[in-house]
């Protein structure tokens, strides 16, 4: 009986000590402002709804970063993106982008990545209404206390 009690006690002590010793994952704290949330993500799309890249420039990091858009294949910096997308958007007179309810945000220290699908409704200058859904993946980096987009991928499923 004493032996059974001693073995049981040892097993309990070992189990408790292994649980207590297991490292607990901790999220790294960031020195930036509040982590981007769904409202912040929608604010970016509201800026794109104006069809003027100048209205979203404040969200994008300068320097060599890769941005994938519907057309053309990719841009190597915000300056390239801003200039290139003007030509694409010039064929439209209005746009509305609304994030669907599937947005997921993953904070990790000074980086945040998010995914979402976005409903789009765009009207060409000739009056044709184009509707669909876009896929969006975005990576933010804390740069001097601001969350700046350093990578973005926007694509549309083949219809």
């Amino acid at each position: 009986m004493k032996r059974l009690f001693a073995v049981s006690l040892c097993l309990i002590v070992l189990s408790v000590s292994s649980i207590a010793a297991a490292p607990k994952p901790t999220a790294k704290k960031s020195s930036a402002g509040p982590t981007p949330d769904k409202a912040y993500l929608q604010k970016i799309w509201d800026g794109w709804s104006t069809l003027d890249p100048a209205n979203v420039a404040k969200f994008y990091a300068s320097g060599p970063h890769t941005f994938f858009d519907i057309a053309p294949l990719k841009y190597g910096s915000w300056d390239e993106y801003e200039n290139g997308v003007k030509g694409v958007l010039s064929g439209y007179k209005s746009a509305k982008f609304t994030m669907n309810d599937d947005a997921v945000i993953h904070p990790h220290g000074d980086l945040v990545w998010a995914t979402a699908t976005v409903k789009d409704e765009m009207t060409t200058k000739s009056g044709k209404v184009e509707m669909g859904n876009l896929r969006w993946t975005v990576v933010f980096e804390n740069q001097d206390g601001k969350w700046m987009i350093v990578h973005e991928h926007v694509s549309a499923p083949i219809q």
Side-chain angles (χ1 to χ4, degrees):
M1 188 67 162
K2 286 182 183 181
R3 188 176 296 171
L4 180 61
F5 176 74
V7 169
S8 297
L9 184 61
C10 286
L11 289 174
I12 291 171
V13 169
L14 284 173
S15 297
V16 170
S17 67
S18 68
I19 291 170
K24 294 179 174 75
T26 57
K28 291 170 34 179
K29 294 274 184 188
S30 171
S31 59
T35 301
D37 58 10
K38 291 178 184 182
Y40 186 76
L41 299 180
Q42 182 59 56
K43 194 179 213 181
I44 295 166
W45 282 104
D46 291 344
W48 280 114
S49 292
T50 68
L51 299 175
D52 184 355
N55 292 327
V56 292
K58 64 185 174 189
F59 298 109
Y60 289 82
S62 60
H65 299 287
T66 303
F67 304 107
F68 295 109
D69 202 348
I70 303 298
L73 182 62
K74 74 176 186 174
Y75 299 99
S77 68
W78 169 249
D79 290 335
E80 264 184 41
Y81 197 3
E82 183 176 27
N83 290 327
V85 79
K86 284 179 185 176
V88 174
L89 297 176
S90 68
Y92 294 90
K93 65 179 179 181
S94 68
K96 182 174 182 182
F97 299 101
T98 307
M99 281 197 349
N100 294 315
D101 61 0
D102 61 352
V104 181
I105 300 166
H106 307 272
H108 187 71
D110 283 337
L111 293 174
V112 172
W113 62 277
T115 59
T117 57
V118 179
K119 178 184 172 193
D120 69 283
E121 184 174 325
M122 300 177 74
T123 305
T124 66
K125 287 194 173 173
S126 66
K128 180 182 176 198
V129 176
E130 300 174 349
M131 295 175 26
N133 279 287
L134 304 171
R135 297 175 283 219
W136 186 42
T137 302
V138 62
V139 179
F140 295 89
E141 181 180 53
N142 171 14
Q143 294 185 354
D144 298 322
K146 291 178 71 178
W147 289 106
M148 304 300 292
I149 298 173
V150 294
H151 177 74
E152 179 178 66
H153 188 128
V154 180
S155 62
I158 297 174
Q159 299 293 329

